[in-house]
Structures are given as structure tokens and as C-alpha cells.
Amino acid sequence: MSKTFADALATKGLPKSEIFYILQEILSLNRNEILCQKSTDLSDEQWDEFNRVAEVRKSGKPLQYIFGRCYFYDREFLVNDSVLIPRPETELLVDRIIQDNKSKKDLKILDIGTGSGCIAIVLALHLDCKVMDAVDTQTLLLASKNAKKHNAEVNFFASDIYSQVQSRYDIIVSNPPYIGSQEFQTLEKQVKDYEPKTALFAKENGTYFYKKILTDLNLHLSYEGSLYLEIGAEQAQFITDLAEKLNFSCQIKKDLSGLDRMAIIKSKN
């Protein structure tokens, strides 16, 4: 007996939102199209693929890793389990940078810990960039593939924070690992068991990379430049105090849930 979209939507053990996600990926249809065609038959191949993906998802593996792609700032990016899955909170960070700098010309930008390259690529496509550098300590092959996919001019190179960075930049951006050891244990299974720990966990109660980035910031940020950081909800005071100690000003912005999520840091001089 043939199976319909409605049969797939009745699958047990997964939230409806994830069933829709699977069907959208397999069928290349949006949610409304699926709802309007609930009596439409799935082919045997589509039904088998739906069940395969559903079973893998029930084990905890994120759908983005199963399909090998995700969506960020209305663009599709390749991902695998060596990079963090981009979050909506990071879209807010990128959007803020674009809004603050869209009228500026010949920007020099550095993305620290680029992962899939999504931040650097979106900024390169939306801002007038003279230089768009992006660094990471992991393989940069996936990020390079994403840049090619979107025809974005990004210079990727291996660097541990600033270790191989020689320039000064108008904008430095980073979504570094910021989860401490205690918080790490409370994460959802799909995050804790599948996403790379090196992209999530940071020593010193999640503050290690903020210290590294801020300590040598004066060597790499231009006179009127800005550092944009994604931060943990409980880290605003620490980062504000550290910035003040190093003679920087710090402005904290909240996410859509009202949690502290972004720090914008500038020189006081």
C-alpha cells in the first residue's frame, strides 16, 4: 500500500517540526505545500529515505548532520560533525554587524573560529569588504567549499586566534566556544553527543577564549574598529569588566529571548 505525506506526518517518536523538516528536505517542498498535498503519495524511494532519516534522528543525531546541510541567513551551508551547527542567535550577531556597517566602504574584517564559514561568507556578501579574513585551528576545507558555493571572496587560513594574523581590522567577529564544564553536562543529547566539543567547550568556566581574544585585541583592531562577540547568557558582566580593565568600552545586546547574547567592544581612545 502506498504511503502519503499524511502517513509520514503521523510518525511517532519525533516532534512534528522535525517531521516537516525531513519531508521538506526530501521533497524540496515547503511546509504549506506539504500540508496542502497531504494525500499525495510518496514514492517507495522517498518513503524508505524518510524512514531511514527518522530512525537516525531518533538516535539523537542532528538533522543538519544527517543531511549534511543547514540554513543560515537564508542561505544553505554545508556542515558536518567537525563544525558547529549555526544558531539563530548567531544570525542576530551577523545582522547587527551588517546594520552597523552597511554604509562603510573598503572594510577589513576578521572572523575568528570560522567553522563552516557562515559568518565570514554572509558578511562578505552583504558588506563592502576590502579584506575578509577567516581563521580556525581545524580544517578549513568545508568553509572553503561553502565560500565557493556562494561565490564569496574570503581568505581562509589556519591560525590559533591571532597566532598567524598580521593585520589590523575594522571589524573582528567571533562566536567562540563559551560553555563551561558544568553547563556542558546540562546540554541536550544531540548537542553534547554529536556537535564538536572543541566548538562548544571552553576552559575557565567558558571564558578562556574571550580572554585570549581581548588580551591582544589592541594589536589587531583598528583605531575606530569594533569587536563583535557572541556570549553566554551569564558572561556579560565578566566580559564588561575585562573590557574595562583593558581600556575598552563594552555594550551588551540581548537575543530574542531577552538573554544577554552579544558584546560590542571598542577602544576608548
Side-chain angles (χ1 to χ4, degrees):
M1 182 182 294
S2 61
K3 298 293 185 179
T4 66
F5 294 0
D7 291 317
L9 290 170
T11 300
K12 304 296 184 184
L14 287 177
K16 271 288 193 297
S17 60
E18 295 190 358
I19 296 173
F20 273 111
Y21 189 107
I22 297 170
L23 288 173
Q24 287 170 212
E25 292 295 307
I26 291 174
L27 302 172
S28 297
L29 298 174
N30 64 39
R31 184 187 181 99
N32 287 336
E33 289 170 330
I34 292 168
L35 286 171
C36 290
Q37 302 175 52
K38 289 174 73 172
S39 61
T40 302
D41 289 342
L42 289 161
S43 69
D44 290 342
E45 292 78 10
Q46 289 170 334
W47 181 249
D48 289 344
E49 176 67 358
F50 172 81
N51 281 296
R52 182 193 70 80
V53 173
E55 287 306 308
V56 177
R57 175 62 189 130
K58 288 175 185 177
S59 73
K61 188 172 185 177
L63 288 168
Q64 293 88 340
Y65 290 155
I66 298 173
F67 287 108
R69 56 184 179 267
C70 70
Y71 301 92
F72 182 84
Y73 221 78
D74 294 330
R75 293 179 179 271
E76 182 183 285
F77 288 87
L78 305 173
V79 291
N80 58 35
D81 59 9
S82 69
V83 299
L84 194 70
I85 297 168
R87 301 318 202 254
E89 292 83 359
T90 309
E91 290 185 333
L92 293 176
L93 176 70
V94 168
D95 194 57
R96 178 65 191 229
I97 296 171
I98 292 171
Q99 295 306 312
D100 285 353
N101 298 279
K102 60 186 176 182
S103 64
K104 299 177 182 177
K105 304 295 182 183
D106 295 329
L107 290 164
K108 295 180 67 177
I109 304 176
L110 173 66
D111 175 24
I112 297 174
T114 196
S116 66
C118 62
I119 292 177
I121 290 165
V122 171
L123 293 179
L125 294 172
H126 284 80
L127 293 175
D128 186 338
C129 296
K130 181 178 181 180
V131 175
M132 182 67 248
D133 287 343
V135 301
D136 211 320
T137 56
Q138 306 297 317
T139 176
L140 293 164
L141 179 60
L142 184 69
S144 298
K145 286 181 178 179
N146 278 323
K148 185 176 181 180
K149 175 182 175 71
H150 293 293
N151 295 315
E153 294 187 12
V154 181
N155 177 36
F156 296 102
F157 59 97
S159 180
D160 182 5
I161 314 293
Y162 303 118
S163 65
Q164 302 303 313
V165 173
Q166 305 298 323
S167 303
R168 287 185 178 271
Y169 299 88
D170 304 302
I171 299 168
I172 299 176
V173 55
S174 185
N175 176 21
Y178 57 72
I179 295 173
S181 56
Q182 290 185 336
E183 185 182 357
F184 184 80
Q185 300 306 318
T186 69
L187 296 178
E188 295 178 343
K189 176 181 173 63
Q190 69 173 35
V191 177
K192 185 167 59 175
D193 292 355
Y194 289 93
E195 296 199 55
K197 292 180 176 58
T198 54
L200 293 166
F201 174 73
K203 297 181 290 185
E204 300 177 32
N205 198 30
T207 65
Y208 175 80
F209 289 98
Y210 296 126
K211 291 179 181 177
K212 297 276 285 185
I213 291 169
L214 277 162
T215 298
D216 291 328
L217 181 62
N218 63 326
L219 301 176
H220 299 287
L221 190 67
S222 66
Y223 177 69
E224 295 185 343
S226 299
L227 167 66
Y228 293 82
L229 295 172
E230 184 170 323
I231 66 173
E234 304 300 325
Q235 295 169 327
Q237 192 61 56
F238 171 84
I239 291 169
T240 300
D241 291 345
L242 179 60
E244 181 70 27
K245 179 181 177 182
L246 296 170
N247 201 33
F248 293 101
S249 65
C250 179
Q251 186 179 18
I252 301 297
K253 297 293 183 180
K254 297 183 183 295
D255 62 20
L256 296 178
S257 298
L259 300 174
D260 292 333
R261 190 61 64 193
M262 187 192 317
I264 305 173
I265 296 169
K266 302 172 184 280
S267 174
K268 287 184 176 182
N269 298 325

